[in-house]
Amino acid sequence: NGQFCSLAFDPAGAPAISYFDAQNSLLKYARRGTAGWSTEFVDLHQHSGNDTSLAFDQAGRPAISHVYDGAAYEVRVARWDGAAWATQTVDTSATGLACTSLAVDPTGAPQLTYIVDKSDVRHARWNGATWDVETAAPGGRIAGGASIALDGAGRPHLAYCDAARAWLRYA
């Protein structure tokens, strides 16, 4: 019973999927190995896992951005460290969050974009100690669909839909 799924391939070419398990209201991760598919819970806080995005670093460790909508909205990133999932909160400053999109730069630092309150597009990057968060596109009427891609130097490129003008935007 999955929702908000994201598909990515690890460096060896094996598929993996992050998704919201609606039956348990938790974030899950599925991967295909030589023996078939296996699944595991990632963030054990109820209502975690909306709007997932999955990416791998160069060592093949997965990272998943997602929205937690418990008592308050939070953008979170869960990363596999080789032994367990570690979840960090990126942003808690909004009443509505959506459309996370995640990429991992050549240094292994996750970067993501997401939409806040249907009006701002934000970009966040892990600097090794904390999350640097900036508003990349302020004060619009954002329809959704924010996406991030990194160029060869690890610089972020963002795409999103401006609902006020029915335009596709690039930043």
Side-chain angles (χ1 to χ4, degrees), residues 26-42:
L26 295 170
L27 175 62
K28 284 186 95 171
Y29 172 73
R31 63 185 166 88
R32 185 173 175 108
T34 55
W37 286 93
S38 63
T39 62
E40 61 187 292
F41 291 106
V42 175

Side-chain angles (χ1 to χ4, degrees), residues 138-159:
R141 200 174 94 225
I142 310 302
S147 182
I148 188 171
L150 305 178
D151 63 22
R155 291 181 299 253
H157 298 260
L158 312 176

Side-chain angles (χ1 to χ4, degrees), residues 51 98-101 113-115 121 142-148 158-161 168-169:
D51 297 312
C99 301
T100 71
S101 179
T113 188
Y114 53 95
I115 296 171
V121 177
I142 310 302
S147 182
I148 188 171
L158 312 176
Y160 61 95
C161 296
L168 177 64
R169 295 282 192 164

Side-chain angles (χ1 to χ4, degrees), residues 33-59:
T34 55
W37 286 93
S38 63
T39 62
E40 61 187 292
F41 291 106
V42 175
D43 188 332
L44 297 177
H45 293 90
Q46 287 286 308
H47 309 292
S48 64
N50 290 332
D51 297 312
T52 74
S53 182
L54 171 65
F56 287 91
D57 65 17
Q58 293 175 332

Side-chain angles (χ1 to χ4, degrees), residues 80-126:
W80 179 255
D81 66 10
W85 289 98
T87 301
Q88 298 171 314
T89 298
V90 177
D91 194 336
T92 61
S93 65
T95 57
L97 295 160
C99 301
T100 71
S101 179
L102 178 72
V104 179
D105 71 22
T107 69
Q111 296 189 42
L112 66 145
T113 188
Y114 53 95
I115 296 171
V116 177
D117 298 330
K118 295 183 181 180
S119 65
D120 293 341
V121 177
R122 292 200 183 149
H123 170 258
R125 182 181 188 282
W126 178 249

